């Protein structure tokens, strides 16, 4: 370690001497130039000599040992050594206690059917069995004699299954895509037409007939009959400069709480016209027949009330 240090120091000293020599040469040239100009400058010859370093001297005595350094960080763990050889086989141990019985196995495959044996002796007569299922219906017999007339039944259909209305407008040119309100009542059997909403609300499920006759003037008319928000029929009548009548009709099967109404289905085609002196626009509907389930339930309730 000390030899390397001395070598580095000698190298540095050699570089300094070389630089000194170069500077001396430059200084000498500049002096000669000054002499040529008539200036008197005295230079000793010792100043122009470049001294080179001598050979390295002998190594000095080693210095005293330094104090111990601080403990370095722990190194990484070493690799695992090779596995050792297997030990000698031990002696056979004593037998263990018997284990618990295992679970029952699955049933085996069904064997083939055996040969039918000989018939045994006839047994005693058994008990009477249950009646068998009824056979197929036989052919229709001849018509019998006419029976006596029965007593009147308890049907109240005539009083319960009634629904009809006929209404008219009192204003011209209703708003588009909204139920037209027919506020003048000519008939409202059962009160099933609502003048506030302009809708007929079904109370008795069954088959109904609906019709309308609408007077138009000054505008075209595009009107439709709506059932629960779906157009069932649409009619269009063009304005020809004279008053005209647009009409339509249909038959619908309604369930309880279904709604039916009229409305204009196209913008600016609301030529419905009202004149209290000489023309009307009407909307009419009535029940043709009620559903049988409704009639049966109505009869049952009516008979129960009569019996009580």
């Amino acid at each position: 370690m000390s030899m390397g240090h001395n070598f580095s120091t000698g190298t540095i000293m050699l570089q300094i001497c070389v630089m000194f020599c170069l500077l001396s040469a430059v200084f000498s040239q500049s002096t000669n130039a000054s002499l040529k100009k008539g200036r008197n400058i005295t230079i000793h010859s010792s100043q122009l000599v470049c001294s080179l370093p001598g050979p390295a001297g002998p190594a000095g005595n080693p210095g005293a040992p330094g104090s111990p350094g601080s403990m370095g960080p722990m190194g990484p763990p070493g690799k695992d050594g090779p596995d050792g050889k297997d030990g000698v086989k031990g002696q056979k141990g004593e037998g263990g206690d018997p284990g618990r019985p295992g679970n029952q196995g699955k049933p085996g495959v069904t064997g083939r059917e055996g040969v039918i044996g000989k018939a045994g002796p006839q047994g005693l007569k058994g008990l009477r069995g249950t009646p068998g299922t009824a056979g197929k219906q036989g052919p229709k017999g001849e018509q019998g004699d006419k029976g006596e007339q029965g007593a009147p039944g308890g049907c109240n259909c005539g009083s319960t299954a009634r629904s009809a209305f006929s209404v008219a407008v009192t204003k011209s040119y209703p708003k588009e895509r909204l139920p037209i309100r027919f506020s003048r009542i000519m008939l409202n059997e059962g009160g099933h037409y609502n003048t506030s909403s302009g809708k007929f609300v079904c109370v008795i499920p069954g088959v109904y007939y609906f019709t309308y006759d609408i007077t138009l003037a000054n505008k075209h008319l595009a009107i439709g009959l709506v059932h629960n928000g779906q157009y069932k029929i649409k009619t269009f009548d063009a304005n020809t400069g004279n008053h005209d009548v647009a009409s339509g009709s249909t038959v619908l099967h309604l369930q309880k709480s279904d709604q039916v109404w009229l409305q204009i289905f196209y913008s600016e085609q609301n030529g419905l016209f009202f004149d209290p002196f000489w023309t009307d626009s009407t909307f009419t509907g009535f029940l043709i027949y009620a559903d049988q389930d409704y009639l049966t339930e109505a009869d049952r309730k009516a008979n129960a009330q009569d019996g009580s």
Side-chain angles (χ1 to χ4, degrees):
M1 183 69 179
S2 60
M3 288 294 291
H5 178 70
N6 293 335
F7 178 75
S8 177
T9 303
T11 304
I12 294 172
M13 291 299 294
L14 178 60
Q15 293 175 354
I16 292 173
C17 289
V18 173
M19 292 176 64
F20 181 75
C21 291
L22 294 174
L23 290 174
S24 298
V26 172
F27 181 73
S28 176
Q29 291 177 1
S30 63
T31 303
N32 293 332
S34 299
L35 289 176
K36 292 178 181 180
K37 293 180 181 180
R39 293 182 183 179
N40 295 324
I41 297 175
T42 303
I43 300 174
H44 296 286
S45 60
S46 62
Q47 295 177 343
L48 301 176
V49 178
C50 180
S51 299
L52 297 174
N61 296 325
S67 58
S70 58
M71 181 180 293
M74 180 179 293
K79 298 182 179 179
D80 295 338
D83 295 337
K85 296 181 179 180
D86 295 339
V88 180
K89 184 176 180 180
Q91 297 179 356
K92 183 177 181 180
E94 298 179 358
D97 296 333
R100 292 180 297 176
N103 297 328
Q104 185 175 356
K106 297 181 179 179
V109 181
T110 304
R112 292 181 298 177
E113 187 176 355
V115 180
I116 301 175
K118 295 181 180 181
Q122 184 175 358
L124 299 176
K125 185 177 180 179
L127 300 175
R128 183 182 181 86
T130 56
T133 57
K136 295 182 179 180
Q137 185 175 359
K140 184 177 179 181
E142 297 179 359
Q143 183 175 357
D145 297 333
K146 184 177 181 179
E148 297 180 359
Q149 183 176 356
C155 178
N156 292 278
C157 305
S159 61
T160 58
R162 292 183 180 180
S163 180
F165 71 94
S166 185
V167 291
V169 296
T170 56
K171 291 182 180 180
S172 300
Y173 313 126
K175 294 182 179 180
E176 300 95 351
R177 297 183 178 89
L178 291 175
I180 301 172
R181 290 188 292 180
F182 293 79
S183 55
R184 185 161 69 92
I185 302 295
M186 292 179 286
L187 174 68
N188 195 8
E189 182 72 30
H192 301 158
Y193 180 82
N194 189 325
T195 55
S196 298
S197 65
K199 297 179 179 181
F200 170 78
V201 181
C202 176
V203 176
I204 303 171
V207 176
Y208 287 78
Y209 175 79
F210 295 96
T211 183
Y212 57 87
D213 293 283
I214 306 298
T215 301
L216 70 147
N218 303 323
K219 294 183 179 181
H220 301 320
L221 179 67
I223 192 169
L225 186 139
V226 184
H227 173 214
N228 291 342
Q230 300 293 325
Y231 286 101
K232 293 300 181 181
I233 57 173
K234 291 181 178 180
T235 54
F236 178 82
D237 203 320
N239 176 32
T240 59
N242 298 318
H243 292 77
D244 201 353
V245 176
S247 61
S249 60
T250 187
V251 176
L252 299 176
H253 182 268
L254 303 182
Q255 300 294 335
K256 189 174 182 180
S257 301
D258 281 1
Q259 298 179 351
V260 178
W261 67 90
L262 294 178
Q263 72 180 33
I264 305 299
F265 65 84
Y266 200 80
S267 299
E268 300 300 328
Q269 309 296 319
N270 58 337
L272 185 151
F273 182 73
F274 166 71
D275 189 324
F277 298 104
W278 66 277
T279 183
D280 282 309
S281 295
T282 61
F283 179 32
T284 301
F286 55 86
L287 174 67
I288 300 176
Y289 60 86
D291 287 349
Q292 188 60 45
D293 292 342
Y294 173 84
L295 296 177
T296 302
E297 181 64 17
D299 288 346
R300 186 189 65 79
K301 291 180 179 179
N303 293 334
Q305 292 178 356
D306 293 341
S308 61

